[in-house]
Amino acid sequence: MPPPPSPPSAALLYAPDGYDTSRPRLMGRHAAGEGFLIGLVRHAGFERMVALTRGEADAEAFRRHVATLGAAAPAEAIPDNELQRLAGIGCLMLPGPGLGEHAWRRRRIGPATAWSLVGVTHTIASAGAMDSILDSLVAPVQPWDAIVCTSEPVRGAVRRLLEMQGGYLARRLGATRIEGPALPVIPLGVDCAALAPDPRARAEWRARLELREQDVAVLHHGRLSFHAKAHPLPMFLALGRAAAKAPPGARVVLILSGWFADETQRRAFHEQAKAVAPHLEICLVERPETGTTLRNAADIFTLLSDNVQESFGLAPVEALAAGLPVVGTDWDGLKDTIRHGETGYRVPTTLGGPMPDLAERHDAGFDSYDSFIAGVAQFTAVDVPAAEAAFAALIADPVMRRAMGAAARRDALARFDWPVVIGQWRALWAELARLRREARAERAAPLRGEARVPHRPDPSILFAHYPTRRLAPETRLMLPPGEDAAAVLVRLRAYAGLPGAAPRRDLLPSMDSIQAALEVLEQGPATAARLSAELQPLRAWRMNRSLAWLLKLDLLRLADG
């Protein structure tokens, strides 16, 4: 009998936007998010699926989403204002690399050893993504927190970013220790079973696209964007030349599959192909359905990425799982995923420079993010002769295509299938839990009496120089002369009914708590501490600060002047 499932060791920060692949402008992070949720549902072995959600609408969306994925375990949503419940789970998984906001929130409510925070990289090229990564150097991020990098090249870029900012902070502040989060490498996963080669789907798609059995179909699938994904000129040049040298009877067809952002992109692809590869046959399959089986029509997959927007490249991994050899660039995550000469070919790339002006213009707001990444891509070269040679070798040798495709499928099963990838996540959760258990103390733990979140301090402390005095626990209060508790209560109810008398009525104590305090004052002046002494801590907080509101309405007076 199999062992019982383990209790959850991680909860997911869930907002529907991060996991929706039905949207018209589908991005890699959406596909990665939903894929990860599918992997968790099917392979994590949780007794219950837990998400941290903001609002009941998101909670219901989470429960509905995991139900549609066939979750056997019940779904539970923790409201965002009950963050302390994460202590019973051990880890909060975030949909991006930013740990800072959640590290500060954790610090507000309890010990940092209560749970770990784990983010994950998607694109790291945007100013917002860079800032969220760098925030981990000043936020109370701990050694048992992590930013998961989806490839070694991404980890190298994240580490370089942290080291550069860390060096500045050390010189600026005289710091002797600059610590960031752990940076483990875990790739994105795919459902290899769903992507298995399907002869029936191959026959249907090739008939639909009018491809003969001897034709060689090369698939490019994803966003069709020259500025934000992969400039198509190197692909058109290399494939057009390789197609012209194809063996007799081997017609080469490029299947362009995906979605154009706008008409500018559509026109650019069309005109570039016509100008540099006029004899290359191109079949456009625009906006294929989610979960398309179109890969089965292809004999080769290609993505000649040249863009810093890219960080992993999920489509090439899906192609490997579908048993296709991949011609990709030696760039970002493709360095990790394509085994050169075994599962495909990696085409060399050359990055130009320097480009500090591009970073400066984007940072200052003169250039949009799209303009920034387009500029970097413009100065990134793809080795067209090497790409031509890779295409030509595969076009000419069907035996090699089949052998590489079989190796690609085996490699995907061994490295990128969701059970394998979720196993790496489970190992990470266990390691972070060990670090929490063995931790002697939180790094830079707050001192007694110190603001737990110094950049968002208690306003009654920050603005202590504004008033004449502060209402302190030892402040003595009394009823107005000539009034008893009942008379004050009558006035209180009358004032409370006036529009705007209590703009944040939700922050006030109950009327019963106020009445009890007034009855204490019938015996004579008393300190603020005495008036809340019988209340639970949270209710005492409410009473202590609300005494100032009662003073504002002249329902109480200061006993000492």
Side-chain angles (χ1 to χ4, degrees):
M1 177 176 293
S6 61
S9 51
L12 189 69
L13 180 64
Y14 182 90
D17 172 72
Y19 304 88
D20 179 13
T21 59
S22 65
R23 57 197 305 118
R25 290 177 59 85
L26 182 64
M27 306 286 280
R29 65 181 179 88
H30 301 122
E34 182 171 67
F36 184 60
L37 182 56
I38 292 171
L40 287 178
V41 166
R42 297 179 182 173
H43 306 295
F46 290 166
E47 287 182 346
R48 64 189 191 280
M49 294 293 302
V50 182
L52 183 72
T53 58
R54 179 162 289 183
E56 181 53 35
D58 284 359
E60 179 55 32
F62 171 71
R63 288 189 286 264
R64 189 166 54 248
H65 199 159
V66 298
T68 62
L69 297 177
E76 175 185 339
I78 297 177
D80 192 53
N81 61 354
E82 298 181 19
L83 204 63
Q84 68 278 2
R85 289 171 57 186
L86 291 172
I89 296 172
C91 181
L92 176 64
M93 294 180 293
L94 306 172
L99 307 180
E101 172 193 351
H102 296 277
W104 285 116
R105 292 191 66 200
R106 178 180 62 187
R107 183 181 173 108
R108 277 192 187 277
I109 63 175
T113 53
W115 64 85
S116 291
L117 299 168
V118 179
V120 64
T121 59
H122 295 294
T123 182
I124 60 170
S126 70
M130 292 185 195
D131 287 347
S132 68
I133 292 168
L134 292 177
D135 190 32
S136 65
L137 292 179
V138 293
V141 170
Q142 303 298 318
W144 46 88
D145 299 325
I147 298 175
V148 171
C149 301
T150 52
S151 68
E152 285 290 351
V154 168
R155 175 158 68 175
V158 171
R159 182 175 288 143
R160 183 174 296 114
L161 188 66
L162 292 171
E163 287 173 351
M164 289 190 292
Q165 183 74 348
Y168 164 74
L169 291 174
R171 293 189 302 275
R172 178 72 174 85
L173 303 175
T176 58
R177 183 179 67 196
I178 304 291
E179 280 188 330
L183 300 175
V185 175
I186 301 178
L188 299 180
V190 295
D191 185 347
C192 286
L195 293 166
D198 182 346
R200 180 175 178 179
R202 178 178 174 84
E204 290 174 352
W205 270 108
R206 288 180 78 93
R208 175 175 165 182
L209 300 178
E210 299 181 351
L211 297 173
R212 301 167 303 176
E213 185 56 36
Q214 64 268 35
D215 293 339
V216 179
V218 181
L219 174 65
H220 173 98
H221 173 72
R223 276 188 297 151
L224 300 173
S225 171
F226 61 79
H227 76 281
K229 190 68 173 179
H231 202 288
L233 261 176
M235 176 178 66
F236 292 145
L237 285 166
L239 190 54
R241 294 171 184 174
K245 301 174 185 176
R251 184 176 64 130
V252 177
V253 178
L254 172 63
I255 303 173
L256 280 180
S257 164
W259 43 96
F260 296 105
D262 50 42
E263 287 304 311
T264 299
Q265 298 283 351
R266 184 192 303 274
R267 186 172 62 254
F269 271 69
H270 174 75
E271 293 185 4
Q272 288 177 27
K274 184 178 179 181
V276 305
H279 303 298
L280 177 64
E281 294 196 41
I282 298 177
C283 180
L284 176 63
V285 181
E286 195 167 357
R287 296 192 177 279
E289 67 278 8
T290 301
T292 181
T293 58
L294 175 60
R295 297 173 193 84
N296 289 278
D299 303 287
I300 303 166
F301 183 90
T302 187
L303 175 62
L304 300 183
S305 181
D306 58 0
N307 204 286
V308 294
Q309 160 79 9
E310 187 74 83
S311 60
F312 179 74
L314 191 58
V317 175
E318 292 173 336
L320 294 172
L324 294 177
V326 176
V327 177
T329 35
D330 193 48
W331 178 262
D332 63 61
L334 279 69
K335 287 175 173 285
D336 285 3
T337 56
I338 304 170
R339 296 196 187 278
H340 185 71
E342 298 178 25
T343 64
Y345 293 103
R346 293 202 309 271
V347 176
T349 56
T350 302
L351 180 64
M355 304 183 219
D357 55 317
L358 300 187
E360 179 182 352
R361 288 184 60 82
H362 176 44
D363 190 46
F366 297 128
D367 289 347
S368 68
Y369 176 59
D370 279 356
S371 295
F372 169 65
I373 58 176
V376 179
Q378 180 170 292
F379 304 120
T380 301
V382 174
D383 189 329
V384 173
E388 177 187 346
F391 285 130
L394 287 167
I395 289 169
D397 193 339
V399 175
M400 177 192 291
R401 289 199 304 270
R402 288 192 291 271
M404 278 193 169
R409 172 80 179 161
R410 290 193 299 271
D411 194 46
L413 283 163
R415 295 198 292 151
F416 306 116
D417 201 17
W418 273 122
V420 176
V421 173
I422 293 298
Q424 294 178 55
W425 279 93
R426 290 189 66 91
L428 174 63
W429 301 331
E431 172 62 12
L432 297 180
R434 182 189 67 79
L435 292 173
R436 291 197 310 273
R437 288 193 303 270
E438 297 177 0
R440 293 185 178 181
E442 173 186 349
R443 294 284 199 270
L447 303 176
R448 183 181 297 275
E450 182 181 57
R452 299 187 69 84
V453 183
H455 64 286
R456 295 290 186 273
D458 179 343
S460 70
I461 295 174
L462 178 62
F463 300 110
H465 290 85
Y466 283 27
T468 307
R469 64 179 69 85
R470 291 183 62 202
L471 200 157
E474 64 273 14
T475 301
R476 298 176 72 248
L477 299 153
M478 65 182 192
L479 298 177
E483 293 193 76
D484 59 14
V488 172
L489 277 173
V490 169
R491 285 207 292 137
L492 171 60
R493 290 192 171 96
Y495 292 163
L498 296 175
R504 291 295 309 276
R505 196 176 300 270
D506 59 304
L507 301 179
L508 294 175
S510 68
M511 193 63 73
D512 288 344
S513 295
I514 294 175
Q515 180 176 350
L518 295 176
E519 289 173 353
V520 169
L521 291 174
E522 277 191 325
Q523 311 304 314
T527 64
R530 171 70 182 87
L531 297 179
S532 59
E534 305 301 323
L535 301 176
Q536 295 295 322
L538 180 58
R539 297 176 68 191
W541 272 25
R542 286 176 174 263
M543 176 58 73
N544 283 335
R545 63 194 184 194
S546 295
L547 295 173
W549 179 69
L550 296 173
L551 284 168
K552 178 193 286 286
L553 300 183
D554 195 33
L555 298 172
L556 293 183
R557 298 278 179 89
L558 294 172
D560 300 321

